[in-house]
Amino acid sequence: MESSVVLTGCTVVDGRVLDGTGPLPGAGVWVRGERIAAVGPAAEVTAAARAAGDVREIDLGGAYVTPGLVNMHTHLSLSLPGRAGDALKDMGPYDLALYMADGARRTLLCGVTTVRCVAEKDHADFALRRAIAAGHVPGPRIYTAGRALVCTGGHGHEGSDTLECDGADGMRRGVRSQVKAGADLIKIMISGGIAGEHEQIATRQLFSDELRAAIETAHSWGRKVTAHAGPARVVAEAVELGLDCVEHGYQLTEPVTALMAGRGTALVPTLLVTRCESFFAELGVPEWMRRRSLDAGPRHLESYAMALAAGVEVLLGSDMPPFWPFEGTNATVRELEHMSGNGLGPARALYAATLGPVRWLGAEADLGTIEPGKYADLVAMDADPLAATSAFRGVRWVMRGGTVVRDDATGWAVP
């Protein structure tokens, strides 16, 4: 018999507030098995659940309940230049799998119930996705690009989380190889970035025929394409060719953000990566990388402001491991705070962390809102996330697929 539980003592709020729906105070949420069966006034929902048979009731003590967070720029096998990155690169396949599984568990416990991996080592992400789906290890739902496609010597070429491809034919083969492995989307590196020693952020790394081949091939297989990208000129060309999402966007311009908005190209700004000096110090990254990151910060914020002004869809993504303790919270929440505080605001930040990413992933039939039929991926906190995004610092209860994986009131957390 499938489990049945009713959540009471809560206010339900999700990204539909931008459309005028909710919040719903005094709510009840009935969860049967993995999915939500009913949402409404607590008394009505509880009565319906009781009439259907045995039901367990959980009083959340006045909490605000939102959908679980979605982190759209995740690397569970991240290895930056420096001491910590070198240690991770030296891991064997079994060590790496266990390291990533631990990261997945920690990600889930901080309230991130879905991730989009955008370059992972050795295709270990596919094994991890299968293990989580089978219930062997706890973790978020995983959508993954497999290995990112780069030109020879391009951004990130040093690791096994990328695949070097040259020319249009090489890009086509690269896309097909990741689809064959099980990729849900394709990631391409179209410019330099912060972590490449022998490049600059503005360094162009793919030519027009390579861009076109990668995007057309991915789209022919029903896969969206996201691109690590910094400079406006190469972003504009990729968007014209059908690019679905831009990662970082360090050096955008008003014409380019207008083009992105008009074409429906999303932006995952990853604002943390140009304002995380303490994180870099912790990992022992070299001085050239630390300097490049911090120097890019002001222009990065200008690009983000241009994107907001143009109406570009912005989505949450930390680049740092989602669970990483950072500035009094975790990297996911700190990124969302930066997005909110630099012009997005709390209501749109909630959307950018839940329903917006889910719509990009094409998963809105199952995720993103608190509605009957959706998976019961939920988090609870005491403060109102519509009043301040910092409310997510207080996540104290997490449910994934109808199973409580964290409850601070009882001290329970999935091992």
Side-chain angles (χ1 to χ4, degrees), residues 100-399:
M100 291 176 65
D102 178 63
R105 178 188 62 85
R106 295 168 69 183
T107 294
L108 180 61
L109 291 179
C110 74
V112 177
T113 55
T114 300
V115 297
R116 187 185 67 165
C117 295
V118 286
E120 301 290 1
K121 290 180 170 51
D122 300 327
H123 280 174
D125 42 327
F126 298 113
L128 180 59
R129 183 177 64 183
R130 291 191 296 270
I132 291 171
H136 299 320
V137 297
R141 303 180 194 279
I142 292 178
Y143 293 80
T144 185
R147 299 171 72 181
L149 307 185
V150 305
C151 67
T152 294
H155 184 75
H157 73 278
E158 306 92 344
S160 60
D161 50 357
T162 58
L163 179 65
E164 289 181 312
C165 307
D166 292 307
D169 287 345
M171 282 291 162
R172 291 190 185 98
R173 283 193 294 271
V175 169
R176 290 167 180 153
S177 71
Q178 299 315 293
V179 172
K180 178 181 177 180
D184 303 293
L185 64 140
I186 298 298
K187 168 113 178 260
I188 55 178
M189 307 294 204
I190 67 176
S191 78
I194 287 170
E197 184 174 7
H198 304 296
E199 64 189 29
Q200 298 299 319
I201 288 174
T203 303
R204 180 185 181 126
Q205 297 193 350
L206 295 185
F207 292 110
S208 300
D209 62 334
E210 294 171 317
L211 279 173
R212 181 179 292 106
I215 293 170
E216 287 182 351
T217 305
H219 286 175
S220 72
W221 284 87
R223 298 329 193 257
K224 288 184 175 180
V225 182
T226 194
H228 164 98
R233 182 171 61 89
V234 69
V235 170
E237 183 174 357
V239 171
E240 291 277 13
L241 290 170
L243 183 68
D244 301 292
C245 188
V246 171
E247 308 297 311
H248 314 303
Y250 300 117
Q251 300 170 353
L252 302 178
T253 61
E254 290 181 355
V256 171
T257 55
L259 177 64
M260 290 173 63
R263 295 296 182 93
T265 306
L267 171 67
V268 179
T270 67
L271 297 176
L272 276 185
V273 301
T274 55
R275 43 200 37 82
C276 60
E277 185 170 13
S278 63
F279 173 68
F280 288 155
E282 184 178 353
L283 298 188
V285 306
E287 175 62 19
W288 63 262
M289 180 176 170
R290 188 188 71 84
R291 190 72 265 154
R292 189 183 296 175
S293 165
L294 298 179
D295 288 350
R299 183 69 177 84
H300 194 186
L301 277 185
E302 289 177 8
S303 294
Y304 176 66
M306 291 175 194
L308 293 184
V312 173
E313 176 99 324
V314 296
L315 307 172
L316 169 65
S318 62
D319 203 350
M320 288 169 56
F323 58 84
W324 204 272
F326 186 67
E327 296 184 348
T329 182
N330 58 68
T332 301
V333 172
R334 191 70 187 102
E335 172 68 24
L336 192 60
E337 289 177 332
H338 278 301
M339 293 174 68
S340 179
N342 283 286
L344 193 61
R348 290 171 67 195
L350 174 62
Y351 177 89
T354 55
L355 185 53
V358 162
R359 284 176 170 167
W360 193 94
L361 292 167
E364 58 267 40
D366 292 315
L367 301 168
T369 59
I370 304 177
E371 295 182 89
K374 303 290 183 78
Y375 282 118
D377 291 2
L378 308 169
V379 298
M381 66 214 79
D382 290 322
D384 181 359
L386 296 181
T389 301
S390 59
F392 285 101
R393 287 179 174 243
V395 167
R396 60 173 173 82
W397 183 91
V398 181
M399 172 179 276

